[in-house]
Amino acid sequence: MKISKILTAAAISAVLATGAYTGIAQAQEPLKLTIATEGAYPPFNFINAAGELSGFDVDIGRALCEEMKAECKFITIEWDGAIPSLQAGKFDAFIASMSITPERKKQVDFSNKYYNTPPGLAAPKDGKIKGVTKEDLAGKSIGVQISTTHANYAEKTFTDSTIKSYPTAEEYRLDLANGRLDAASDDSVTLSQWLNTEDGACCELVGTWPAVPEIHGPGAGVAFKQGNPELIAKFNDAIKAIRTNGKYKEINDKYFDFDAYGAETN
């Protein structure tokens, strides 16, 4: 019996020494992820004055990585190329205020939401636009960022208006400030943040409206290449954990004076 135990211990030691016992070796390896964001959608993701990637999305992403004890590298990518690049496996996750919609779920997988804020409309302060209905905006030009839920909503709702799509939010803002647009539709938080800057002083938030589930989905989630449920489960657990342990509130309060998470649906 003693000889058998000695031989068994020796065998295990030999396996560990040669690295063949991969289960233990892999368990000790930290999760390494490349996470992409847009970097041009303040206050959610942007390049700050120091040239560093910053914003609510980025801070949430870093908090999730910390909760998962993962080593994460953050990169930027243009919004319109995010889903094709994710499908091609160029990065592991996309954290950039991407709404969880039925159409996108045909192309990528999502975590549970990590925030949900209402859409809104900005227009010049001259008061010519009084509301946010189809009738209020008839005959007006409305700027939106291409391939967003706000673009989809505008095209389906404001059918008596001219909808102009732009690659980035900065571009529609520039045209709105310079009088080349009558209004712009986007997330109400990012619009409000811009309106409080010198560049946005031209305009005001005319109003907001409730998200339409079939267009806007339940909120913004982390996007993944399809077929990795284990990774998604890790992110979902981390989202729940930072909501519980106070880290989410700490990040939230850095940017907002309200709970960006919205109603507890997940």
Side-chain angles (χ1 to χ4, degrees):
M1 182 65 74
K2 289 182 179 179
I3 293 174
S4 175
K5 288 182 177 179
I6 292 170
L7 289 174
T8 301
I12 292 174
S13 297
V15 169
L16 289 174
T18 59
Y21 196 65
T22 56
I24 291 177
Q26 288 175 351
Q28 294 174 342
E29 281 291 322
L31 182 63
K32 295 182 179 180
L33 301 172
T34 299
I35 296 177
T37 191
E38 184 185 13
Y41 195 64
F44 295 103
N45 56 81
F46 59 96
I47 306 299
N48 64 22
E52 301 165 335
L53 193 56
S54 188
F56 179 76
D57 290 328
V58 178
D59 287 357
I60 289 291
R62 288 174 177 151
L64 296 177
C65 289
E66 183 178 350
E67 183 65 34
M68 295 185 292
K69 297 180 172 56
E71 294 181 3
C72 296
K73 177 177 72 172
F74 285 77
I75 63 172
T76 58
I77 186 169
E78 290 186 5
W79 173 264
D80 205 30
I83 287 180
S85 294
L86 187 56
Q87 291 173 322
K90 293 184 178 179
F91 42 87
D92 300 294
F94 185 62
I95 307 180
S97 297
M98 181 169 277
S99 297
I100 306 164
T101 67
E103 188 62 32
R104 287 176 181 150
K105 288 172 74 173
K106 297 175 184 177
Q107 305 174 75
V108 296
D109 289 337
F110 284 97
S111 70
N112 293 336
K113 72 167 186 177
Y114 63 93
Y115 86 84
N116 189 19
T117 51
L121 186 90
K125 291 178 177 177
D126 57 22
K128 291 181 180 178
I129 295 178
K130 303 293 186 182
V132 296
T133 67
K134 174 183 175 179
E135 293 72 25
D136 291 323
L137 295 164
K140 306 297 184 183
S141 58
I142 305 172
V144 292
Q145 186 174 2
I146 195 170
S147 301
T148 63
T149 56
H150 308 292
N152 294 340
Y153 179 86
E155 289 164 1
K156 292 179 180 180
T157 305
F158 305 129
T159 52
D160 293 333
S161 305
T162 300
I163 309 302
K164 296 185 178 181
S165 297
Y166 295 79
T168 67
E170 283 103 329
E171 290 171 88
Y172 79 62
R173 291 170 186 164
L174 181 63
D175 274 5
L176 181 59
N178 290 331
R180 293 189 287 267
L181 284 173
D182 297 311
S185 178
D186 208 329
D187 181 275
S188 59
V189 173
T190 194
L191 285 175
S192 296
Q193 197 267 356
W194 174 67
L195 295 171
N196 287 328
T197 67
E198 183 178 349
D199 291 338
C202 61
C203 305
E204 63 185 355
L205 189 69
V206 178
T208 65
W209 51 87
V212 178
E214 57 268 28
I215 296 177
H216 300 100
V222 182
F224 307 87
K225 182 178 180 179
Q226 290 180 331
N228 196 342
E230 295 85 3
L231 183 60
I232 296 172
K234 288 180 184 294
F235 271 83
N236 283 340
D237 288 345
I239 291 169
K240 184 176 180 180
I242 66 171
R243 284 287 295 170
T244 302
N245 65 23
K247 186 63 178 180
Y248 186 99
K249 185 177 188 305
E250 177 187 327
I251 296 169
N252 184 96
D253 293 352
K254 177 180 174 182
Y255 296 96
F256 314 123
D257 58 3
F258 60 92
D259 185 0
Y261 188 81
E264 294 283 350
T265 56
N266 288 320

